[in-house]
Amino acid sequence: TQLLEQSPQFLSIQEGENLTVYCNSSSVFSSLQWYRQEPGEGPVLLVTVVTGGEVKKLKRLTFQFGDARKDSSLHITAAQPGDTGLYLCAGGIGDDMRFGAGTRLTVKP
Amino acid sequence: IAGITQAPTSQILAAGRRMTLRCTQDMRHNAMYWYRQDLGLGLRLIHYSNTAGTTGKGEVPDGYSVSRANTDDFPLTLASAVPSQTSVYFCASSQNRGGYNEQFFGPGTRLTVL
């Protein structure tokens, strides 16, 4: 079983729709990171959140860290085809980062 | 500015053969990592290095070894490859180890063991 469960595994939507993807665990994390990965490339960091309840915005993307620091969500407003990719969350435990399996998002024009 | 380079891009290998995956960074980062990425399992840490001259085991270290002779290079060796080591391998680096540091990833090596 994964330490971090991401849902949904796959999501296909039309351009302009809103969506939320989730990252859940029973463990408490010191930090939570979100990465985006495109085919044939390595993941690229989008954001790091460190405080329970913290909300960060990056243009149309809103990231929230749960109050208990066990879960996180990523909300995308008015999705665009350029948002297509694999979204990975990673939780900090000690000096290690543990990754979820990811949500594969496809945004159709 | 290259960031992190990995070689080869892809490789098909016979079971039982020895293979070294190469990783070089030009950011002078202290920490480096090797992950494998498998469908449905995400990225799993194989080995890491906090700084040149030190290495440590990650979540799935068996069958792999690493060395860190200098800051820039962090090769991963499969002494005797097995089919279960078929995966996409990513090297990464960060200024320091720890969850507050951004990890920069290479483009990956796709390895198939037959």
Side-chain angles (χ1 to χ4, degrees):
Chain A
T1 51
Q2 291 281 113
L3 185 64
L4 282 159
E5 296 288 341
Q6 290 193 242
S7 61
Q9 277 188 283
F10 301 94
L11 185 58
S12 180
I13 62 171
Q14 292 296 133
E15 182 176 2
E17 292 183 7
N18 301 332
L19 67 112
T20 302
V21 298
Y22 300 93
C23 174
N24 295 302
S25 178
S26 58
S27 298
V28 176
F29 299 105
S30 57
S31 64
L32 199 294
Q33 295 181 330
W34 285 92
Y35 289 79
R36 187 171 83 192
Q37 184 178 15
E38 300 192 19
E41 298 182 7
V44 176
L45 181 69
L46 295 173
V47 76
T48 301
V49 286
V50 299
T51 305
E54 182 175 1
V55 176
K56 280 193 175 179
K57 293 192 175 183
L58 184 66
K59 297 183 180 177
R60 294 176 292 99
L61 279 60
T62 302
F63 305 85
Q64 183 162 8
F65 200 10
D67 291 342
R69 291 186 288 128
K70 294 181 179 181
D71 53 78
S72 181
S73 63
L74 160 58
H75 181 80
I76 301 179
T77 303
Q80 299 176 1
D83 295 326
T84 293
L86 179 67
Y87 289 81
L88 297 163
C89 66
I93 294 183
D95 286 335
D96 287 332
M97 297 300 294
R98 299 293 291 271
F99 284 79
T103 291
R104 188 165 298 281
L105 172 66
T106 302
V107 182
K108 300 175 184 176
Chain B
I1 299 175
I4 294 188
T5 57
Q6 292 186 235
T9 302
S10 64
Q11 182 74 46
I12 298 174
L13 190 66
R17 298 297 294 270
R18 180 184 180 90
M19 175 74 191
T20 295
L21 307 185
R22 300 185 298 280
C23 173
T24 300
Q25 55 114 349
D26 63 2
M27 297 174 282
R28 308 301 293 172
H29 283 168
N30 291 312
M32 296 188 75
Y33 315 83
W34 273 106
Y35 292 90
R36 60 178 290 173
Q37 186 174 34
D38 303 287
L39 196 63
L41 295 176
L43 286 159
R44 291 182 292 168
L45 183 65
I46 304 170
H47 284 288
Y48 64 87
S49 169
N50 287 335
T51 188
T54 70
T55 63
K57 294 182 179 180
E59 188 182 354
V60 289
D62 294 344
Y64 306 95
S65 63
V66 292
S67 61
R68 186 91 183 274
N70 57 61
T71 297
D72 298 343
D73 301 300
F74 191 44
L76 175 74
T77 297
L78 289 67
S80 179
V82 295
S84 61
Q85 292 177 312
T86 293
S87 187
V88 182
Y89 290 85
F90 288 97
C91 179
S93 72
S94 61
Q95 184 58 48
N96 294 295
R97 196 157 154 257
Y100 306 98
N101 291 274
E102 176 179 2
Q103 292 191 30
F104 294 82
F105 287 82
T109 293
R110 183 175 295 275
L111 180 68
T112 302
V113 182
L114 301 176

